[in-house]
Every structure is written in C-alpha cells, then in structure tokens.
Amino acid sequence: MTNTTKKPRFIKPPNKLKMKVGVGGIDERLLDQAQVFIQKSETNFKPIAEDLLKDVNAALKNLRSAPEEQKEKYRDELAGAIMQLKANGGMFRYQLISEIAALALHFLENTKTVNDDALQVVDVHAKTIHIILANDLKGDGGKEGFALVKELEKACKRFFDKYNT
C-alpha cells in the first residue's frame, strides 16, 4: 500500500446571479442625494402611520374572531402592517415608532400562543404608537420614550413568563 497524498482540488462553480446582474454597487453620489432628499423631505408621516395603524387594528380584530385555520393569514397581515411601521418610522424621523414596532414584531414572531392576552399586548403597542403620533413625538422620545419601551418590554416578558413561550 502506497501512501500518496493528493492535494485537494477546489472547484468554484459559476455564480450565475453575478453573471446576470454584473458587479458593482450603487454610486455613492446617488446614495448621498437620496439621504439629502430624505432629510429635507417634509412628507407628513402621521396620515401614513394612522392608515398602517388601521391595518394593524383590522388584523387584530380579524385575528380575534377568525377560525383556527385562518389565524395564520391574519397573523401574517398583522406582522406586515407592523413591519411597515417599523420600516417607515425612522425614515420619517419617528425612531420611537420604529423601535416600538420592532418590539411588537419581535413579540409576535416569538409567541407560539396567539390568544386574547397576546393580542392585547400587540394592541397596547399600537395604542402607544397612536399616542406618539397624536403628540407628534419625533425622534427617540428621550427619557419618556425609553421608559415607554421598557414598560412594553416588561409587558412582553410577563406574557412569556405566563405562557412559557
């Protein structure tokens, strides 16, 4: 028996996606222009957010009354509306809304039990966002915003402790 060791041969498969779209990225100048536009934009986010909150409330209502086989559909609708709030809040200088929506989304994605208590926790997040909009609390909300987020985190923790999820 001979002891010959062969060097491994590495095969690099073709990157078909890269061949289709090419290489490179977005021109830095375009990114800078987009950032300036966003910062100077005077778009009123409140009506947009209120419409998204209507979607959240409609999905909550549907989830409460849905038969078991349709709950996943409405849970996805609820998650979608919350994702929109999370994505758009910071862009329109409502970072606190993004943070609260992220917390609600994390809660929804990590709870196995979608019962009335779970829906009430999500509802409290939505009502908090509504209050933020009503009082035009832009930015991170300062100490009060931090306290709000901490209380919402505690509510989520109490739910998880109760239902062991």
Side-chain angles (χ1 to χ4, degrees):
M1 190 168 179
T2 60
N3 189 0
T4 58
T5 58
K6 291 184 178 180
K7 290 185 177 181
R9 189 178 88 173
F10 296 98
I11 300 171
K12 187 175 181 181
N15 187 335
K16 294 185 185 223
L17 182 60
K18 191 173 187 177
M19 291 181 337
K20 288 180 182 179
V21 297
V23 295
I26 298 174
D27 184 357
E28 286 291 322
R29 201 178 75 243
L30 291 174
L31 288 174
D32 291 339
Q33 288 173 349
Q35 187 63 38
V36 168
F37 177 80
I38 288 171
Q39 288 172 341
K40 289 182 177 180
S41 175
E42 293 300 323
T43 303
N44 187 0
F45 178 61
K46 289 168 85 170
I48 297 167
E50 289 292 348
D51 282 344
L52 292 171
L53 282 173
K54 285 178 187 173
D55 294 344
V56 168
N57 290 327
L60 282 168
K61 181 180 177 186
N62 290 334
L63 256 171
R64 284 187 173 101
S65 62
E68 199 59 41
E69 62 273 3
Q70 289 185 338
K71 285 196 184 266
E72 197 62 34
K73 172 188 168 189
Y74 293 119
R75 185 178 181 158
D76 290 345
E77 285 180 14
L78 178 60
I82 293 170
M83 278 185 215
Q84 289 297 319
L85 283 165
K86 176 186 172 208
N88 289 298
M91 185 168 50
F92 291 102
R93 295 182 281 285
Y94 284 90
Q95 290 86 1
L96 186 56
I97 288 177
S98 285
E99 192 167 345
I100 290 171
L103 183 60
L105 189 59
H106 183 272
F107 171 80
L108 190 62
E109 290 173 341
N110 289 289
T111 184
K112 296 173 188 122
T113 307
V114 182
N115 59 17
D116 286 336
D117 288 345
L119 297 178
Q120 187 175 4
V121 170
V122 175
D123 190 41
V124 168
H125 284 76
K127 287 178 179 171
T128 303
I129 291 171
H130 181 73
I131 291 168
I132 291 166
L133 290 168
N135 292 297
D136 202 29
L137 297 175
K138 290 187 177 181
D140 63 6
K143 290 180 190 176
E144 294 83 7
F146 180 77
L148 272 173
V149 170
K150 287 299 169 195
E151 288 304 316
L152 291 169
E153 286 174 352
K154 288 178 187 176
C156 294
K157 184 179 179 339
R158 284 191 302 272
F159 176 87
F160 287 128
D161 288 346
K162 181 176 180 178
Y163 292 99
N164 295 325
T165 59

